[in-house]
Amino acid sequence: MTDEPIIKFDKVIKRFGDLTVLNELDFEVKKGEKVSIIGPSGSGKSTVLRILMTLEGINGGVVTVNGEPLWHEKGPDGTLKPASEAHLHKMRAQLGMVFQQFNLFPHMTVLRNITEAPVKVLGLSKQEARQRAEELLELVGLADQAQKYPHQLSGGQQQRVGIARALAMRPNILLFDEPTSALDPELVGEVLNVIGKLAHEHDLTMLLVTHEMRFAREISDRVCFFDQGRIREEGAPEELFTDPSEERTREFLQAVLDS
Amino acid sequence: MHWTEYLPPLMQGAWVTIQLTFYSTLLGGLLAFAAGIGKISSNWAIKGVSVAYIEVFRGTSLLVQLFWLYFALPIAGMAIGLDLRLPPVVAGVLALSLNIGAYGAEVVRGAIQSVHKDQHEAARALNFTPRQTLWTITIPQAIPEMMPSFGNLAVQNLKDTALVSLISLGDLTFRAEQIRNFTQDSTTIYSMLLVTYFGMALVLTAIMRGLEAYVSRWRVARS
């Protein structure tokens, strides 16, 4: 882990109609850092990931990824103008995302779900993509499911395919948007195991929006508590979970841990 | 004349009807895809042409379109010094395809737009271009949605081929008319005509169902 921020939100504003979801958010993630974002629903946590994945635009401020503005481009005179699709395409290559609802492609086998983008987008040969996919399926423990269709798998298995699919693009930053929220309780563990393994064994930068407090505590270098479109409190997991300094954080943790 | 003697000329006509149905459904399907995708294009020129095509051909009668292509177009062509006379079979296939294509375009558009937004987001996150997303993610998922409507359109098309007898194309209906003029045996002839069309429609429906099952096979794969 170096000290150089790979992700930087500088006074970022995001509105949906009259609703302000991100209110001049300042937020930084260092290279290789594993950061968990927790907070009540509607606090803007998923929006942070969706902005990074370029699924949502911003209404103000600047988002920087690896030193380059994400939603802006530097014009010839040095001023920032809104990003073109080509710029977004280039920037997106650094990021990968794991979705709450998995969002696998239902008409493709597990193998093709993982190889399609490396072949079409990165230009890998079918052979290379297949080899990469098989390694990743091994990693997520699904080596024997390559020829199945997503609907033939359990939710936990589907989400593990989702993780393999994102990793196949070799992103520097992996975004997890509530990866276990749509799963039956008994299937949560297998997905968390895979994410935990990635966190411990890879130098990927990881950003995880989650309601799994114990897991967040286990794998994160830092935990951020979001409230009303801002970071209310952040810190090392031991501190934030055992001795939060803000009353609002305390309330939230109490409510979540009691349930 | 015994009714069995009507069969050879009727079968000749039926073969023409089958060919007409086959070619016009195929070409109509291609037109449906082109115009259906064109209608949701962000390019306003492509969108404009697609919308105009769909509206004009849905808003006018197939019979008039057929007559226009066969009788009016050559004269219009002559006025500008072009030979636009079409053989009856070409005019027939063209009118039928243009017609079914306009209806099919709405089916294609609707099916493409029914693919869930999650799929587009996943495609974007994997950095597919919009064009790659359309062809590898959206359309393959939309095709099974289109198939029941396409099945109906194909049967509709089969029945509509009867109109081409009016530009002296020797299809099933044309042959039946010829025999009727000769024998005045309307009841037998028209009954045979009904049964033949119905039989062909049954076969066509079965073929379309088979096609539907084929393009939807990923949906029903067993675990």
Side-chain angles (χ1 to χ4, degrees):
Chain A
M1 199 193 304
T2 65
D3 277 350
E4 179 192 339
I6 192 167
I7 297 171
K8 191 168 179 221
F9 279 59
D10 187 7
K11 298 218 171 353
V12 171
I13 299 172
K14 174 66 186 174
R15 281 185 290 263
F16 291 115
D18 290 339
L19 183 73
T20 302
V21 184
L22 297 182
N23 186 8
E24 300 201 347
L25 174 72
D26 289 319
F27 177 52
E28 277 189 20
V29 178
K30 298 190 191 84
K31 218 173 202 153
E33 201 178 12
K34 326 293 181 209
V35 177
S36 290
I37 299 178
I38 60 171
S41 55
S43 59
K45 6 184 240 310
S46 287
T47 307
V48 168
L49 302 193
R50 294 175 56 78
I51 286 172
L52 281 167
M53 199 62 256
T54 72
L55 303 177
E56 303 278 1
I58 55 177
N59 301 106
V62 177
V63 177
T64 314
V65 172
N66 235 341
E68 250 191 287
L70 178 66
W71 280 101
H72 299 85
E73 272 175 276
K74 281 208 178 78
D77 54 350
T79 55
L80 291 181
K81 60 186 178 73
S84 64
E85 186 50 41
H87 177 77
L88 292 175
H89 187 79
K90 187 190 82 184
M91 296 297 288
R92 232 182 264 136
Q94 306 181 58
L95 296 136
M97 186 155 179
V98 175
F99 295 88
Q100 182 176 351
Q101 301 291 345
F102 332 131
N103 300 12
L104 297 181
F105 304 128
H107 60 300
M108 295 182 186
T109 60
V110 164
L111 186 71
R112 246 193 92 201
N113 260 280
I114 303 173
T115 56
E116 194 70 7
V119 170
K120 292 246 162 77
V121 179
L122 303 181
L124 261 62
S125 73
K126 288 214 166 110
Q127 185 72 37
E128 289 170 298
R130 196 190 167 99
Q131 197 179 345
R132 190 181 278 196
E134 279 164 358
E135 284 165 18
L136 288 166
L137 282 171
E138 194 73 47
L139 175 81
V140 300
L142 293 171
D144 51 345
Q145 309 286 336
Q147 296 308 326
K148 294 214 170 141
Y149 285 96
H151 72 101
Q152 296 172 292
L153 303 180
S154 72
Q157 291 174 320
Q158 290 190 45
Q159 189 58 296
R160 287 186 278 152
V161 175
I163 294 171
R165 183 178 69 173
L167 286 171
M169 297 299 283
R170 302 267 157 95
N172 301 321
I173 304 166
L174 195 49
L175 311 168
F176 293 89
D177 187 9
E178 305 199 27
T180 58
S181 297
L183 296 176
D184 292 334
E186 77 271 20
L187 301 177
V188 170
E190 61 189 67
V191 172
L192 293 185
N193 275 340
V194 169
I195 301 174
K197 194 153 70 172
L198 284 178
H200 293 304
E201 294 171 13
H202 292 260
D203 56 358
L204 268 173
T205 305
M206 284 172 46
L207 213 54
L208 172 75
V209 170
T210 187
H211 295 291
E212 299 286 336
M213 297 302 153
R214 203 184 311 150
F215 182 69
R217 183 169 182 169
E218 226 170 85
I219 68 145
S220 313
D221 299 310
R222 181 157 55 100
V223 177
C224 299
F225 173 64
F226 268 63
D227 187 39
Q228 295 178 343
R230 284 188 174 192
I231 296 175
R232 180 62 73 99
E233 184 171 357
E234 60 181 317
E238 312 80 71
E239 286 166 38
L240 193 122
F241 283 117
T242 50
D243 186 23
S245 48
E246 294 270 336
E247 187 51 35
R248 189 73 192 87
T249 317
R250 202 182 301 271
E251 279 169 22
F252 173 76
L253 288 174
Q254 200 102 59
V256 175
L257 295 175
D258 281 351
S259 63
Chain B
M1 249 174 116
H2 192 254
W3 68 271
T4 49
E5 289 174 62
Y6 303 157
L7 280 173
L10 278 186
M11 288 308 109
Q12 264 181 5
W15 177 237
V16 172
T17 295
I18 289 168
Q19 287 175 306
L20 275 173
T21 307
F22 179 78
Y23 289 116
S24 59
T25 304
L26 204 65
L27 184 59
L30 292 177
L31 284 168
F33 266 88
I37 294 167
K39 193 172 173 179
I40 49 177
S41 166
S42 50
N43 180 320
W44 63 266
I46 294 173
K47 188 177 173 145
V49 170
S50 305
V51 171
Y53 158 62
I54 294 168
E55 294 309 323
V56 166
F57 280 87
R58 284 203 311 172
T60 54
S61 138
L62 172 58
L63 187 61
V64 178
Q65 292 161 19
L66 186 67
F67 283 174
W68 195 87
L69 282 173
Y70 189 64
F71 298 117
L73 190 64
I75 296 168
M78 218 146 50
I80 54 170
L82 285 174
D83 183 9
L84 295 178
R85 282 174 300 175
L86 302 174
V89 69
V90 173
V93 167
L94 212 55
L96 288 164
S97 327
L98 284 164
N99 201 264
I100 194 183
Y103 283 97
E106 285 298 319
V107 174
V108 169
R109 180 197 57 78
I112 286 176
Q113 288 182 331
S114 75
V115 173
H116 203 276
K117 141 179 162 301
D118 284 356
Q119 292 290 312
H120 290 270
E121 293 193 342
R124 196 166 155 88
L126 291 166
N127 225 352
F128 285 111
T129 61
R131 184 183 297 243
Q132 287 171 332
T133 303
L134 181 70
W135 289 103
T136 55
I137 311 298
T138 319
I139 288 180
Q141 290 184 54
I143 285 176
E145 294 292 324
M146 303 170 193
M147 289 311 291
S149 304
F150 270 154
N152 288 339
L153 283 176
V155 172
Q156 181 71 51
N157 199 36
L158 164 70
K159 295 184 286 184
D160 284 347
T161 56
L163 289 175
V164 300
S165 61
L166 296 170
I167 56 168
S168 66
L169 201 66
D171 78 321
L172 183 58
T173 304
F174 185 82
R175 295 288 176 211
E177 278 297 319
Q178 278 186 326
I179 301 169
R180 194 185 69 98
N181 285 338
F182 183 67
T183 64
Q184 299 301 318
D185 186 4
S186 298
T187 314
T188 313
I189 279 293
Y190 283 147
S191 302
M192 289 174 79
L193 194 54
L194 279 181
V195 170
T196 313
Y197 273 114
F198 184 62
M200 288 197 290
L202 280 182
V203 172
L204 184 56
T205 305
I207 292 172
M208 294 306 285
R209 288 247 171 83
L211 256 167
E212 183 180 346
Y214 177 73
V215 296
S216 321
R217 64 198 179 286
W218 51 271
R219 284 180 164 180
V220 293
R222 302 248 167 266
S223 41

